[in-house]
Amino acid sequence: QRGHDVPALVSVDLGFAEGETLGLVGESGSGKSTLAKTMLGVHAADEGGSITLRGRKMAGKATARVEESVRALSMVFQNPDSALNRAWTVRRILHRSVVKLTGVRGAAADKRVEEIAEAMQLSPRHLDMRPRQLSGGLKQRVAIARAFAGDPEVVVCDEPTSALDVSVPAAILNLLAGLQNDERTSYLFISHDIGVVRYLADRIAVMYLGRIMEIGSTATMFNGTNHPYTEALLSAVPSVDGIAEDRIPLVGSIPSPANPPSGCVFHTRCHRAIEGLCEVTEPQMVELSAGHSIKCHLTVEQLSEPVYIDPAAVLAVAIDDPLACPRLRTRRLVDHPFGTLRGVAHLDTCGGEIVADGIADGVGLRFTSGYSRGEGCFDYRTDDLTRGTHAASGGSTEPDDHRSERRS
């Protein structure tokens, strides 16, 4: 920011082996893309920081790096629409990358383009088309082909599937896995979705406010003791039936890196914070087992204890104009779509009606799934809404058996 420095990355120390995938997860604003841009030389590391490749230190800015270092690192961007020149054909896009990164020209360059296209399952017809004529999945294949044009040693994948239709990401992930198996390329796979990272990553690092909070093997991260932040992220991974019974809410938003909280930067949102310690002292990275480290004051025993989440802290609905939304006569849903409705006087959903008078604070209509629809409105599955319902003295809860229409 203008006028002062912002610590976007703090004491980040990561590395990966040949053919390994390191997953990097965290909320938006945690510093994931900044780390990727620093690796690629878009941003230079501050004094004291360094980036090495096979033990050799690279220049901070890409413009100052030797040709070998530039060729060794490549990137697959989140949105292929903005990453590809819409006016050029696919053939021209790939040909330019081959020439720039390898120095090969003429018939050899043309052959290399065709080999890359074939590896990406792009037909000769696709090579003569422009990105605007391709589907989202095909455009991302072109972006991946361009990233592999120079036979890179490391490819940074920054949310490579998040901009694609729901049916496409699996094919892209399979393509990346196959390329890695053939080329022995290392990946830094960046995502906010820890479930997607699980599919491809050998190890996972969890980042929060520019700091690595936990790192370990994928198996350890999903089956072992976790940092409270990782614990909350894992609780948000959908189950097979779409119901997250043990959802841990992250109340509020990630703080500004320009003014980080004192002590542990996560203590303002942590469900296990220790008063008098976490907000005062910054924890050190502690190794729990071989290759598995966390940055937390709590012991393994404390982290293993079950956590109780007050339903009232998960979801609070404030009564407002009953005409604000014809499908739900309340407004302002906050914090989380899993939990207990508080202080609800009247709800009307998709033709079915649920009346709840005099519900005690913190005890009310409990629902297990839902999604936002428009400003201040909410839809949900009526048949899930009455689970665990309790009415206060003198009140009543009258669920309607009508099954509301469901949106996909």
Side-chain angles (χ1 to χ4, degrees):
Q1 295 183 9
R2 183 175 299 177
H4 62 278
D5 294 331
V6 176
L9 299 173
V10 180
S11 302
V12 175
D13 186 6
L14 295 174
F16 31 80
E18 181 182 6
E20 181 187 30
T21 298
L22 175 65
L24 184 63
V25 299
E27 296 169 275
S28 296
S30 60
K32 305 185 300 296
S33 294
T34 300
L35 175 61
K37 292 175 181 177
T38 304
M39 287 179 56
L40 293 166
V42 177
H43 302 315
D46 293 336
E47 185 177 352
S50 64
I51 302 170
T52 61
L53 179 66
R54 298 191 180 279
R56 299 189 302 273
K57 187 175 179 179
M58 295 191 294
K61 297 288 286 185
T63 52
R65 292 178 181 175
V66 298
E67 182 179 336
E68 181 183 359
S69 296
V70 173
R71 178 178 173 178
L73 274 71
S74 191
M75 185 168 185
V76 179
F77 294 91
Q78 177 177 350
N79 188 353
D81 281 317
S82 59
L84 300 174
N85 189 327
R86 295 166 60 86
W88 287 11
T89 64
V90 172
R91 186 184 303 276
R92 184 178 178 185
I93 291 171
L94 298 183
H95 189 275
R96 180 180 183 274
S97 296
V98 168
V99 172
K100 285 280 187 180
L101 295 172
T102 66
V104 176
R105 298 179 182 276
D110 294 337
K111 182 179 179 181
R112 174 62 179 163
V113 167
E114 292 172 359
E115 290 173 349
I116 297 172
E118 183 179 358
M120 303 297 157
Q121 300 174 15
L122 294 170
S123 68
R125 180 174 64 89
H126 292 139
L127 287 175
D128 295 320
M129 298 173 71
R130 290 172 172 78
R132 63 173 181 267
Q133 298 174 294
L134 302 175
S135 67
L138 287 173
K139 281 185 281 192
Q140 194 63 296
R141 288 176 186 271
V142 175
I144 295 171
R146 186 180 63 177
F148 277 84
D151 291 325
E153 297 182 50
V154 178
V155 173
V156 178
C157 302
D158 188 5
E159 303 271 11
T161 62
S162 63
L164 305 177
D165 291 339
V166 68
S167 60
V168 179
I172 296 299
L173 293 175
N174 287 334
L175 176 62
L176 289 170
L179 289 170
Q180 184 179 55
N181 185 61
D182 296 337
E183 306 292 338
R184 298 301 297 164
T185 307
S186 300
Y187 291 152
L188 175 65
F189 194 93
I190 298 172
S191 179
H192 65 276
D193 188 340
I194 197 170
V196 171
V197 172
R198 180 183 191 178
Y199 178 81
L200 198 64
D202 300 298
R203 291 187 298 138
I204 297 176
V206 179
M207 178 174 278
Y208 184 80
L209 208 63
R211 296 151 175 84
I212 299 299
M213 309 305 284
E214 181 172 7
I215 185 169
S217 68
T218 301
T220 300
M221 297 288 278
F222 276 83
N223 300 302
T225 302
N226 299 113
H227 186 281
Y229 181 52
T230 310
E231 187 179 29
L233 294 180
L234 289 173
S235 76
V237 177
S239 58
V240 174
D241 58 8
I243 297 174
E245 292 289 353
D246 301 317
R247 187 76 177 259
I248 299 173
L250 286 175
V251 180
S253 58
I254 191 167
S256 169
N259 186 28
S262 60
C264 175
V265 293
F266 184 61
H267 84 266
T268 56
R269 305 173 71 194
C270 184
H271 53 281
R272 295 184 182 271
I274 302 173
E275 187 175 353
L277 175 61
C278 294
E279 73 271 26
V280 176
T281 307
E282 183 177 1
Q284 300 297 313
M285 188 68 84
V286 178
E287 188 174 58
L288 299 186
S289 60
H292 181 209
S293 300
I294 67 170
K295 183 176 286 189
C296 188
H297 291 298
L298 278 69
T299 64
V300 174
E301 291 73 21
Q302 290 172 314
L303 291 170
S304 300
E305 293 177 0
V307 59
Y308 170 74
I309 303 297
D310 182 3
V314 181
L315 178 69
V317 178
I319 298 301
D320 207 328
D321 182 3
L323 299 178
C325 175
R327 314 252 323 223
L328 176 61
R329 295 181 185 177
T330 64
R331 198 168 70 82
R332 200 178 79 83
L333 274 109
V334 296
D335 293 342
H336 231 279
F338 297 96
T340 301
L341 299 173
R342 261 197 317 158
V344 176
H346 183 91
L347 285 88
D348 178 24
T349 172
C350 302
E353 183 176 87
I354 296 177
V355 180
D357 297 321
I359 293 181
D361 185 43
V363 182
L365 298 175
R366 182 174 180 80
F367 68 94
T368 55
S369 64
Y371 56 88
S372 297
R373 56 174 300 276
E375 182 178 358
C377 301
F378 204 79
D379 266 344
Y380 42 78
R381 298 197 314 215
T382 308
D383 50 343
D384 286 338
L385 226 156
T386 58
R387 180 180 304 190
T389 297
H390 300 281
S393 176
S396 64
T397 304
E398 302 174 4
D400 191 282
D401 288 334
H402 173 77
R403 294 298 182 257
S404 65
E405 59 180 331
R406 301 190 181 189
R407 296 191 177 192
S408 57

